[in-house]
Amino acid sequence: MKRQNAETDRAFRILDICNELLNWILIIILVVLFCYGTYGIGDSYMLEENAMPEHYEIYRPTEEDYGNFDELKAQNSDVCGWITIYGTHVDYPVVQSEDNSTYLMRNPRGEYSLSGSIFMDYMNQKDFSDFNTIIYGHHMDGGAMFGDFDQYLDQSFADSHLYGNIFTNGKDYGLELFAFLELDAYNTGLYVTPVQEVSRKEQYLQEIEDTALWYRQISLSTEDRLVVMSTCTENITNGRHILIGKLSKQTYKDTYKKTLKRNSQIDRIDWGIFWKTSMKRLGVLILLLFSILLLMAVERSGKRKKTKNNSRKLEN
């Protein structure tokens, strides 16, 4: 009988050791995931922050000086213009390569960057002279690149943010926005460029009007030049948001212009971007931290119970 009890006690001790070991392994895994998640938040924030337009402001061409823009072009011959949409974060150099994949992960200086660049379709003329010039940009949570396009789902925002500017070939052109679309990237003829036949141009203009979530009746003809800006959206499968503007010789005043950050401020945390890019990850981290604390509490409770049981055995 004593031998049987001893074997039973030994089995329970082995089981206790295995349970304790499993608990610690689980805690270690959760701690590693917590640390990785913390790193991911910082990395995600830095990705968004480094993609903000302030990092390229030094190169922005002005009426008084194109020197810094020419310097950027000297660094990277793929630079072909500058796009600005007033009142948004869209204020970037435009680049074009021999394909539509190079600048998915390269910045306007030609350096590797997950945030990529605002880039023109490789089929278009660099001077925006085509009937429809297509420009692509990543959708980023902090509003960088084309991340602000979601705001055009709000009609009041759209009504008050209708103008911008395109700089190319040493000249400024006005950009008047007139349509916003949400569609499947693989079910549209709007990504065909350049459109050259008059009948096809008419069809293109009609498709924009028929498909648009909102559309402004402005003067349009097959002789005009359109800027078709495209970015991803999670609203639908393979979704794309397309913001379309008309290019004109008439330029528009930027009524939203604010004092820009100094270079010394670039590395400071922008908490607005931080919270926009990190809320989901912070929720996961809080859940992981709670799980770690719960496991540690269970482990401590188990040790106390074990100590009490051993004390009772000794008393008996």
Side-chain angles (χ1 to χ4, degrees):
M1 186 71 176
K2 289 183 178 179
R3 184 177 178 181
Q4 186 177 358
N5 288 338
E7 289 177 354
T8 302
D9 289 342
R10 186 183 303 166
F12 277 117
R13 282 198 299 272
I14 293 172
L15 186 60
D16 287 340
I17 291 171
C18 290
N19 285 336
E20 188 172 347
L21 184 61
L22 286 172
N23 283 341
W24 279 109
I25 290 173
L26 187 55
I27 288 172
I28 290 170
I29 291 173
L30 289 173
V31 169
V32 170
L33 289 174
F34 181 82
C35 293
Y36 180 77
T38 303
Y39 167 79
I41 286 177
D43 189 56
S44 176
Y45 168 76
M46 289 308 299
L47 173 64
E48 302 285 347
E49 167 61 17
N50 289 334
M52 296 303 284
E54 287 83 0
H55 291 271
Y56 303 101
E57 178 60 30
I58 189 174
Y59 301 114
R60 193 178 192 275
T62 64
E63 293 180 3
E64 298 79 19
D65 183 18
Y66 300 152
N68 289 335
F69 180 73
D70 289 338
E71 179 185 330
L72 179 61
K73 289 182 69 175
Q75 292 181 41
N76 183 9
S77 60
D78 287 342
V79 174
C80 58
W82 195 283
I83 183 170
T84 305
I85 298 178
Y86 302 145
T88 74
H89 287 97
V90 181
D91 193 17
Y92 292 98
V94 179
V95 293
Q96 184 192 50
S97 69
E98 296 178 350
D99 54 55
N100 285 342
S101 58
T102 298
Y103 284 98
L104 288 171
M105 292 188 179
R106 287 187 181 275
N107 66 27
R109 290 185 284 267
E111 304 160 341
Y112 176 77
S113 172
L114 287 174
S115 58
S117 299
I118 303 299
F119 64 94
M120 182 187 294
D121 194 285
Y122 77 101
M123 294 292 289
N124 282 122
Q125 297 296 317
K126 282 190 173 184
D127 60 359
F128 290 81
S129 59
D130 290 319
F131 168 72
N132 62 322
T133 298
I134 301 178
I135 300 178
Y136 306 94
H138 287 308
H139 179 282
M140 306 191 76
D141 289 341
M145 297 298 165
F146 283 167
D148 275 342
F149 278 17
D150 284 351
Q151 297 193 70
Y152 281 92
L153 291 167
D154 180 354
Q155 192 63 54
S156 62
F157 179 90
D159 290 341
S160 59
H161 294 76
L162 293 172
Y163 298 98
N165 190 84
I166 296 284
F167 175 85
T168 184
N169 240 6
K171 295 179 181 179
D172 282 307
Y173 295 89
L175 185 63
E176 183 179 9
L177 306 177
F178 67 89
F180 185 76
L181 294 75
E182 182 177 273
L183 42 78
D184 189 314
Y186 301 102
N187 291 324
T188 176
L190 295 177
Y191 284 105
V192 176
T193 187
V195 175
Q196 296 176 329
E197 299 83 3
V198 173
S199 60
R200 181 65 186 93
K201 289 179 181 179
E202 291 173 346
Q203 181 183 348
Y204 196 90
L205 289 172
Q206 189 62 49
E207 186 172 354
I208 292 172
E209 184 173 358
D210 292 343
T211 313
L213 293 179
W214 57 259
Y215 182 89
R216 296 174 60 234
Q217 293 289 346
I218 65 172
S219 174
L220 284 172
S221 76
T222 56
E223 299 299 316
D224 287 317
R225 290 181 289 171
L226 309 182
V227 179
V228 181
M229 296 161 281
S230 172
T231 193
C232 298
T233 176
E234 296 179 352
N235 290 358
I236 58 175
T237 304
N238 298 319
R240 297 292 186 271
H241 277 160
I242 298 180
L243 185 62
I244 304 178
K246 169 187 170 182
L247 211 60
S248 66
K249 292 182 180 179
Q250 176 188 351
T251 57
Y252 304 99
K253 185 178 179 181
D254 183 0
T255 57
Y256 294 91
K257 200 165 187 179
K258 298 178 181 179
T259 303
L260 297 167
K261 294 181 180 179
R262 298 178 182 272
N263 289 339
S264 60
Q265 292 180 319
I266 285 177
D267 293 327
R268 298 182 184 180
I269 293 178
D270 184 325
W271 289 106
I273 298 173
F274 180 83
W275 290 116
K276 284 181 181 178
T277 59
S278 304
M279 284 302 294
K280 292 179 182 178
R281 294 180 179 88
L282 281 172
V284 174
L285 286 185
I286 291 171
L287 182 61
L288 283 172
L289 183 59
F290 176 78
S291 300
I292 292 169
L293 294 174
L294 182 62
L295 277 173
M296 292 179 71
V298 169
E299 180 67 22
R300 180 175 293 183
S301 175
K303 284 184 177 180
R304 286 177 179 173
K305 188 180 291 185
K306 186 177 178 182
T307 302
K308 286 182 180 179
N309 290 336
N310 289 337
S311 298
R312 288 174 183 172
K313 285 182 180 179
L314 290 173
E315 290 174 358
N316 295 331

